[in-house]
Amino acid sequence: HNGGAMARMKASSTHVRGHPVVPENVLRRRKTTAEIKAGREERLAKERANRKPKTGKLFKKAAAFITEHRRSGRSQRRFDREAKKTVTVEDLEGKLILAVRIKGMNTADPKTKRVLKALRLHQINTAAFVKGISGSIKMLRLVAPYVVYGVPDLKTVRDLVLKRGFTKHEKRRVALSSNQLVEDALGEKGLVCIEDIVNELHNVGPHFSEANHFLLPFKMNPPRPEDKPEGITDRPKDGGPSARINDLVSIMN
């Protein structure tokens, strides 16, 4: 009799009217899981409703890529045409040339980028001196859409060196504010002061290369539209030197 009573009590604790009784902790877990799932579904529904279609954006990116590719192709073809031309250097041979970078090179082809770097014109609105030899003049013609270049006068050279002159000293960029910097670096070449640097550059002296590379490329101010005379940054159609290089430097210095 006792065994039968125990069996009936056990059956009544797990079944009600023949149906199984679910433990309370299981019910709580099921409720929590259902609430989490409902919250996730609601959040995903809101995200789907707020999500903007990307088709237009992707199309714009593709169009920009195609445009850039075409520009780079045109730059490459122009570069190849210029490379085949014979360069006339009579007007510039042996003279000091100042090249000013006036355009970025995002759309430039790789060859153009390499030439700009060789000329030390790494950034827009930078300037550097170049010796008037056939190789340098040809390089300037190859990158004509990105630079304006010409023969600077003595005043322009002096103003650039005095105001924008910087050099590397102990791996740091320092202003050229002391004759001692010049003497320490170029004294053995006979250049002992800033004015010696100016004259060596302007006259394209025997130590032009040392004096030129002693100076870092000049970082210029971008010309403001209201201060920029009409046509001052226009490049000659033949890719030759600009007659207004001194005027351009005066508004960028």
Side-chain angles (χ1 to χ4, degrees), residues 111-230:
K111 290 182 180 179
T112 298
K113 292 179 180 180
R114 284 197 295 271
V115 172
L116 286 170
K117 289 180 179 179
L119 292 168
R120 303 199 300 160
L121 299 175
H122 302 278
Q123 298 175 327
I124 191 172
N125 299 321
T126 55
F129 291 119
V130 180
K131 188 175 182 179
I133 57 177
S134 60
S136 299
I137 297 169
K138 185 162 188 175
M139 289 170 69
L140 288 168
R141 286 181 175 271
L142 290 173
V143 295
Y146 302 88
V147 302
V148 171
Y149 67 95
V151 178
D153 57 25
L154 179 60
K155 180 180 182 302
T156 295
V157 177
R158 181 178 285 112
D159 289 348
L160 269 178
V161 173
L162 292 178
K163 187 174 181 179
R164 302 281 173 182
F166 279 78
T167 187
K168 269 284 184 71
H169 181 66
E170 296 179 351
K171 298 182 179 181
R172 292 185 298 112
R173 176 184 169 89
V174 296
L176 192 61
S177 56
S178 168
N179 289 329
Q180 192 63 47
L181 288 171
V182 179
E183 185 174 1
D184 290 346
L186 301 172
E188 61 182 19
K189 306 295 182 183
L191 308 175
V192 296
C193 63
I194 297 175
E195 193 61 30
D196 286 344
I197 293 282
V198 172
N199 289 324
E200 188 72 15
L201 293 171
H202 183 254
N203 296 323
V204 193
H207 301 296
F208 169 84
S209 180
E210 292 89 340
N212 191 29
H213 284 85
F214 171 71
L215 295 173
L216 295 174
F218 303 103
K219 292 187 176 182
M220 314 291 287
N221 290 322
R224 295 180 300 179
E226 61 269 24
D227 296 336
K228 186 168 61 175
E230 185 178 356

Side-chain angles (χ1 to χ4, degrees), residues 78-93:
R78 186 204 62 78
F79 188 99
D80 292 340
R81 286 196 304 271
E82 289 294 330
K84 294 177 182 178
K85 292 181 180 179
T86 302
V87 178
T88 304
V89 299
E90 285 81 2
D91 295 338
L92 297 174
E93 190 169 13

Side-chain angles (χ1 to χ4, degrees), residues 100-118:
V100 182
R101 171 91 172 273
I102 60 168
K103 185 180 178 183
M105 59 179 181
N106 290 339
T107 59
D109 61 277
K111 290 182 180 179
T112 298
K113 292 179 180 180
R114 284 197 295 271
V115 172
L116 286 170
K117 289 180 179 179

